[in-house]
């Protein structure tokens, strides 16, 4: 299993023109659903999701850690769901 325990900061990448939802869908369809890119993205998100679920179910965590882990589950699930919509 992957270890996603590195706490790196995300940076927003600014492009000259933002992409519309239609542009995103078109580009994702050009890649194709059977692409290894989708398998790689699914693997990353699934492993992050499993880590978050494990944290939620850990009885040693206090309320704050539980809430944080639950928020991670919700956020990662939302991203994964949104990507599925664009596929």
């Amino acid at each position: 299993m992957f270890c996603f325990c590195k706490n790196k900061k995300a940076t927003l990448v600014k492009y000259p023109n933002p992409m519309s939802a239609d542009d995103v869908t078109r580009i994702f369809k050009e890649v194709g659903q059977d692409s290894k890119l989708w398998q790689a993205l699914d693997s990353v998100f699934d492993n992050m999701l499993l880590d978050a679920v494990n944290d939620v179910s850990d009885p040693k965590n206090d309320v704050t850690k539980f809430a944080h882990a639950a928020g991670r589950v919700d956020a990662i699930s939302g991203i994964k769901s949104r990507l599925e919509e664009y596929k």
Side-chain angles (χ1 to χ4, degrees):
M1 186 141 101
F2 299 143
C3 177
F4 294 101
C5 47
K6 299 174 188 160
N7 291 329
K8 292 188 176 185
K9 300 277 184 196
T11 57
L12 293 178
V13 179
K14 295 184 180 184
Y15 294 99
N17 298 314
M19 295 179 81
S20 69
D22 290 338
D23 291 336
V24 172
T25 301
R26 179 181 49 78
I27 289 176
F28 281 178
K29 286 188 187 294
E30 287 175 6
V31 171
Q33 282 192 348
D34 296 330
S35 169
K36 290 285 188 181
L37 174 66
W38 291 119
Q39 183 179 353
L41 283 172
D42 283 337
S43 293
V44 169
F45 285 124
D46 288 348
N47 281 300
M48 291 174 70
L49 194 54
L50 285 173
D51 287 345
V53 168
N54 286 337
D55 287 345
V56 166
S57 61
D58 187 349
K60 292 182 277 183
N61 285 340
D62 61 22
V63 174
T64 303
K65 288 180 182 176
F66 173 80
H68 177 72
R72 285 176 37 222
V73 168
D74 185 53
I76 296 165
S77 297
I79 291 169
K80 192 165 169 64
S81 175
R82 179 72 56 97
L83 282 175
E84 288 295 325
E85 290 173 11
Y86 286 127
K87 280 187 191 180

